[in-house]
């Protein structure tokens, strides 16, 4: 990773707040992101991770402490992605192309290159403010437009005077990852709904304006009555065409597919109200005219649908797409091509930190690869000349590696792992029953009421008025407006806890979860090993720290990443200049300094990683793979809820069962040495598609993800599972899973109350309609009262999880 040279602060850096100061609300929370502090070490430091500590210090050193006055109380933790080496060659190429396009445009064209990029990690207005300030400090920077909702930023700069990779590395050090924006798909559903809401709200206001004179006693003989009626009908028709068509079309598609959705009762209400109103207007029968009801109903239904869709879309856009994860393959001759065009035998170059996309033969003398994302092994492995290196291996050495492709992309296991999986949609069983009962009940009641009135009075007009009133007042507001609103409020409550729902059908899936299946490495354990003696780092002299920083910076090895995180969190120094020499599988050296296995360059034997100078041991670092701080307590709490817990890992059986024992799980619940296909087969055998939640972090969990009922991940910066997950959660613990289940329980309880209220309301309203006591004015009063009471129920029901 290249050294990031930070710009000079615009103001004198203020003194950092005292470490361990009382967090908001008196709760032990991270001073940077607001995540809970789960153990003594966290509470002593005041931060949930080294990344947050580092970014907190960096923000204040740059005179940008105003960020903490703007940001939300809980934001995205600055995890290991802050320190990971990243290849920004693609970004430099894009910057040059933008500069060249301005030059090619001619001397009269404005020379203002621009580039739109995806960005991951934005969580609030404070993030936007921070990124904008950092950009404007860059040489050649002109202006920036950060779109937090869509996770993009548009940069404009002076041609030839701006370095896009330097800016990307700079904001990465603050916790924001840059990637290609990807291919733009169809317009997001939420944006289309916003347009419909705007138009339909205007139509509804006009319909109400021209309906009020009738309610206040305007006679049909009044000279403007005819015009008011035409305008009323016209704006009501536009409401149906613009907003009602959304629900009518969806209901039609669902019926053709022989499924029942909430759109069906909405469509019945819209169609019944509009047809009756159109007849009443044409026949001059005011008791049939419900245009104001129909137009207002459409607006409310659109708002409810938008609230549900927008929250999920926003969470989905927080994660960079696959385009950021799958770089182009670089051949030995310098040519770059898409993975799909790679041929057998072609020699490719793999830079440090990059992932091997196809199985290949090593043509370098030796190299070190991490197989954690493939088989769960935490310890990197050394490969020698001629060895077969599996697809998905990550080069964790410092040198570029030469390999010859042994398969094409279509044959690669990694291609199977990153391919988008398909699952059958899961319908909400409660809504299905409600829709089925509503549709059948209201049609039967309407038919019985019509026949009864016809037999009793013989008045066809009166009979049709009663039937129309029944169809209009049988309002499905409770399930069509309040259910989506409860989902949206649950999504917001979870976002405050660091859990992000990415798929709307997660909610009906959660109700069926009876077992949770965990991957081991990076899921129940932390992604990088934990330094057991951090005080040793603090005791190093400044020259020693400078040498050590040079040795670990830009090194993808897990041990180096752990040391880098801890050093930068404690306060970095300028790295020692010089050439770094790597001995694969042993360590690295710069001048007279070395870092590596015990006994390699030092004169002593023993365990641990040794930092030495001219063979004399300066410091010995001890590391261990550690379970996440709250894992044992959280697993116990999940089991108390009746959830069965399993661990599936590609790591050794002994290590897997050892972790299970540490977490208080029986050995029979821990299965090690499983391949990606083995995990998927285990889920097939144990009913994963019916009742299992899969929680994983690496590509080796991808096939199991496809087999599980629902799936989540604690890791989004790798770009593999982030796009497949139904949800992701942040922080050093796994408490997000229990929060997800608790919020869902409150959401379902609230929806049950809403359903009971809806039944009571419809019994009253439909009873009045059948008795012939409902006219357009009564309907116009009943609907807003029903909607307001329903919204009050949702607000009161969801308040406990919103305030927690």
């Amino acid at each position: 990773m290249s050294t990031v040279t930070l710009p000079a602060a615009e103001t004198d850096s203020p003194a950092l707040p005292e470490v361990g100061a009382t967090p908001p609300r008196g709760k032990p929370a991270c001073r940077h992101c607001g995540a809970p502090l789960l153990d003594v070490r966290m509470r002593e430091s005041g931060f949930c991770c080294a990344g947050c500590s580092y970014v907190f210090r960096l923000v204040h050193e740059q005179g940008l402490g105003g960020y903490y006055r703007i940001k939300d109380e809980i934001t995205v933790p600055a995890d290991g992605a802050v320190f990971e080496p990243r290849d920004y060659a693609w970004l430099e190429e894009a910057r040059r192309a933008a500069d060249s396009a301005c030059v090619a445009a001619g001397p009269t064209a404005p020379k203002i290159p621009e580039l739109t990029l995806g960005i991951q990690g934005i969580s609030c207005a404070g993030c936007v403010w921070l990124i904008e300030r950092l950009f404007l400090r860059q040489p050649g920077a002109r202006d920036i437009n950060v779109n937090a909702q869509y996770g993009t930023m548009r940069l404009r700069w002076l041609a030839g005077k701006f370095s896009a990779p330097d800016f990307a590395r700079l904001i990465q050090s603050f916790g924001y990852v840059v990637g290609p924006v990807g291919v733009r798909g169809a317009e997001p559903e939420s944006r289309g709904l916003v347009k419909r809401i705007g138009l339909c709200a205007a139509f509804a206001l006009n319909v109400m304006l021209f309906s009020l004179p009738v309610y206040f006693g305007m006679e049909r003989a009044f000279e403007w009555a005819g015009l008011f009626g035409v305008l009323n009908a016209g704006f009501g028709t536009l409401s149906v065409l613009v907003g009602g068509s959304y629900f009518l079309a969806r209901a039609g598609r669902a019926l053709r597919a022989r499924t029942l959705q909430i759109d069906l009762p909405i469509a019945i209400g819209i169609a019944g109200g509009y047809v009756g109103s159109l007849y009443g207007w044409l026949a001059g029968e005011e008791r049939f005219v419900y245009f104001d009801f129909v137009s207002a109903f459409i607006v409310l239904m659109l708002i409810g649908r938008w609230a549900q869709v927008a929250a999920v879309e926003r969470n989905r856009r927080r994660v960079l797409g696959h385009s950021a994860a799958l770089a182009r393959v670089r051949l030995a001759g310098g040519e770059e091509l898409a993975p799909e065009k790679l041929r057998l035998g072609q020699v490719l170059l793999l830079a440090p930190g990059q992932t091997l996309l196809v199985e290949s033969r090593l043509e370098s003398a030796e190299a070190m690869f991490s197989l954690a994302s493939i088989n769960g092994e935490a310890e990197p492995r050394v490969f020698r000349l001629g060895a077969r290196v599996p697809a998905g291996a990550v080069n964790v050495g410092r040198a570029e590696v030469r390999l010859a492709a042994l398969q094409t992309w279509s044959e690669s296991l990694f291609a199977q792992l990153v391919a988008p999986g398909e699952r059958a949609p899961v319908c909400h069983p409660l809504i299905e029953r409600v829709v089925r009962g509503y549709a059948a009940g209201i049609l039967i009641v309407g038919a019985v009421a019509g026949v009864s009135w016809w037999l009793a009075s013989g008045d066809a007009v009166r009979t049709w008025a009663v039937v129309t009133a029944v169809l209009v007042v049988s309002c499905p507001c409770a399930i069509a407006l309040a259910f989506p609103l409860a989902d949206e409020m649950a999504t917001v409550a979870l976002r405050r806890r660091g859990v992000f729902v990415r798929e709307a059908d997660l909610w009906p899936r959660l109700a069926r979860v009876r077992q949770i299946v965990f991957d081991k490495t990076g899921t129940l354990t932390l992604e990088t090993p934990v330094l057991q003696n951090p005080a040793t780092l603090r005791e190093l002299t400044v020259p020693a720290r400078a040498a050590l920083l040079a040795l670990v910076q830009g090194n993808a090895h897990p041990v180096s990443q752990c040391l880098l995180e801890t050093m930068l969190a404690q306060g970095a120094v300028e790295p020692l200049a010089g050439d770094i020499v790597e001995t694969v599988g042993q360590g690295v050296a710069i001048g007279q300094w070395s870092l590596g296995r015990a006994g390699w360059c030092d004169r002593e034997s023993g365990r641990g990683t040794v930092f030495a100078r001219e063979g004399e041991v300066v410091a010995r670092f001890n590391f261990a793979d550690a379970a996440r701080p709250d894992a044992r307590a959280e697993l116990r709490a999940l089991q108390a809820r009746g959830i069965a817990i399993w661990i599936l890992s590609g790591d050794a059986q002994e290590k897997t069962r050892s972790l299970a024992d540490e977490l208080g799980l029986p050995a029979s619940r821990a299965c090690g040495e499983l391949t990606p296909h083995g995990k998927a087969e285990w889920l097939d055998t144990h009913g994963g598609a019916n009742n299992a939640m899969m929680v994983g972090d690496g590509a080796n969990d991808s096939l199991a993800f496809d087999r599980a009922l629902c799936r989540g991940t604690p890791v989004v910066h790798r770009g593999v599972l982030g796009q497949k997950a139904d949800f992701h959660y942040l922080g050093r613990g796994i408490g997000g899973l229990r929060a997800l289940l608790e919020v869902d329980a409150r959401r379902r309880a609230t929806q049950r109350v809403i359903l009971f209220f809806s039944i009571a309301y419809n019994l009253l309203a439909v009873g009045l309609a059948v008795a012939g006591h409902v006219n357009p004015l009564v309907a116009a009063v009943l609907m807003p009262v029903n909607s307001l009471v329903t919204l009050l129920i949702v607000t009161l029901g969801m308040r406990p999880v919103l305030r927690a």
Side-chain angles (χ1 to χ4, degrees), residues 367-451:
M368 182 177 291
F369 292 92
S370 170
L371 306 181
S373 65
I374 298 301
N375 61 14
E377 290 184 18
E379 184 71 20
R381 188 189 299 179
V382 176
F383 289 77
R384 309 294 180 187
L385 176 67
R388 299 173 72 96
V389 183
V394 178
N395 178 12
V396 294
R398 298 189 65 94
E400 196 170 59
V401 177
R402 290 173 60 93
L403 304 108
L406 297 177
Q407 59 183 189
T408 62
W409 173 247
S410 61
E411 301 169 325
S412 170
L413 170 63
F414 196 65
Q416 299 177 41
L417 298 181
V418 301
E422 295 185 3
R423 295 183 303 174
V426 173
C427 296
H428 198 304
L430 176 59
I431 289 183
E432 277 198 344
R433 290 194 293 269
V434 169
V435 170
R436 187 180 296 112
Y438 174 90
I442 202 60
L443 293 177
I444 291 172
V445 170
V448 171
V451 171

Side-chain angles (χ1 to χ4, degrees), residues 588-661:
V588 288
I590 180 171
Q592 53 192 237
W593 301 89
S594 64
L595 177 70
R597 294 180 181 275
W600 169 51
C601 281
D602 56 278
R603 299 189 180 97
E604 298 181 17
S605 60
R607 298 175 61 85
T609 299
V610 173
F611 179 46
R613 181 179 184 181
E614 294 183 333
E616 296 293 333
V617 176
V618 175
R620 189 184 300 273
F621 303 115
N622 299 314
F623 301 89
D625 290 330
R628 292 184 179 265
D630 64 345
R632 184 182 181 93
E634 289 297 327
L635 293 184
R636 189 184 305 117
L638 290 172
Q639 289 175 308
R641 299 178 66 93
I643 304 292
I645 305 297
W646 297 85
I647 302 177
L648 303 185
S649 177
D651 210 349
Q653 182 70 32
E654 181 182 352
K655 290 184 178 180
T656 306
R657 289 187 172 176
S658 175
L659 177 65
D661 181 65

Side-chain angles (χ1 to χ4, degrees), residues 10-151:
E10 294 175 351
T11 61
D12 292 337
S13 299
L16 298 185
E18 180 185 355
V19 174
T22 302
R25 298 184 184 178
K27 296 180 180 179
C30 178
R31 292 160 60 207
H32 172 68
C33 70
L37 302 179
L38 304 174
D39 58 24
V40 174
R41 183 180 296 181
M42 290 183 185
R43 288 190 284 273
E44 288 177 350
S45 68
F47 299 97
C48 67
C49 62
C52 283
S53 174
Y54 171 62
V55 174
F56 182 84
R57 183 175 297 276
L58 204 57
V59 167
H60 284 89
E61 287 177 350
Q62 296 308 304
L64 297 170
Y67 164 75
Y68 292 101
R69 294 190 294 272
I70 303 171
K71 68 181 284 290
D72 291 345
E73 185 175 340
I74 298 179
T75 55
V76 179
D79 59 12
V82 172
F83 310 103
E84 287 183 352
R86 287 185 176 268
D87 181 9
Y88 287 112
W90 63 270
L91 184 54
E92 175 60 19
E93 182 181 340
R95 196 274 308 166
R96 285 198 301 264
D99 280 352
S100 300
C102 287
V103 174
T108 59
K111 296 184 178 181
I112 305 176
E114 70 174 52
L115 195 60
T116 300
L117 302 169
I119 183 167
Q120 181 174 290
I122 297 178
S123 58
C124 64
C127 298
V128 175
W129 179 87
L130 185 62
I131 293 169
E132 289 176 346
R133 294 302 182 279
L134 292 171
F135 175 78
L136 294 176
R137 295 180 176 187
Q138 301 306 296
R142 190 176 186 277
D143 58 75
I144 181 173
N145 181 11
V146 180
N147 190 322
Q149 181 181 5
Y150 290 95

Side-chain angles (χ1 to χ4, degrees), residues 255-477:
L255 288 175
R256 286 194 295 272
R258 297 184 179 181
T259 61
L260 293 175
Q261 296 179 349
I262 187 59
D263 299 304
L264 179 59
I266 298 174
I268 291 174
I270 292 173
Y274 177 72
V275 170
S277 300
L278 191 62
Y279 167 78
W281 173 61
L282 294 174
E285 294 283 349
E286 295 294 346
R287 53 185 164 172
F288 284 93
V289 180
Y290 294 91
F291 285 123
D292 54 339
F293 177 96
V294 172
S295 57
F297 177 67
I298 289 172
V299 172
L300 287 174
M301 296 303 99
L302 288 173
I303 291 173
R305 186 58 51 86
W306 171 83
Q308 183 182 41
V309 169
V312 173
E313 285 185 352
R314 179 184 177 187
N315 288 344
R316 194 177 297 152
R317 286 190 293 263
R318 298 176 68 92
V319 182
L320 292 174
H322 288 306
S323 56
L326 297 182
R328 295 169 67 84
V329 177
R330 186 158 62 92
L331 301 181
E335 179 186 1
E336 291 190 355
L337 41 81
E340 297 83 1
K341 296 182 179 180
L342 187 65
R343 299 190 303 274
L344 293 177
Q346 286 186 307
V347 177
L348 52 95
L349 300 177
L350 196 67
Q354 285 189 332
T355 301
L356 181 63
L357 302 185
V358 298
E359 183 175 321
S360 303
R361 182 180 62 254
L362 183 63
E363 297 210 335
S364 297
E366 55 186 358
M368 182 177 291
F369 292 92
S370 170
L371 306 181
S373 65
I374 298 301
N375 61 14
E377 290 184 18
E379 184 71 20
R381 188 189 299 179
V382 176
F383 289 77
R384 309 294 180 187
L385 176 67
R388 299 173 72 96
V389 183
V394 178
N395 178 12
V396 294
R398 298 189 65 94
E400 196 170 59
V401 177
R402 290 173 60 93
L403 304 108
L406 297 177
Q407 59 183 189
T408 62
W409 173 247
S410 61
E411 301 169 325
S412 170
L413 170 63
F414 196 65
Q416 299 177 41
L417 298 181
V418 301
E422 295 185 3
R423 295 183 303 174
V426 173
C427 296
H428 198 304
L430 176 59
I431 289 183
E432 277 198 344
R433 290 194 293 269
V434 169
V435 170
R436 187 180 296 112
Y438 174 90
I442 202 60
L443 293 177
I444 291 172
V445 170
V448 171
V451 171
S452 300
W453 272 91
W454 170 253
L455 294 176
S457 66
D459 186 345
V461 174
R462 180 62 173 163
T463 299
W464 180 236
V466 170
V467 173
T468 302
V470 169
L471 294 176
V472 168
V473 299
S474 57
C475 179
C477 279

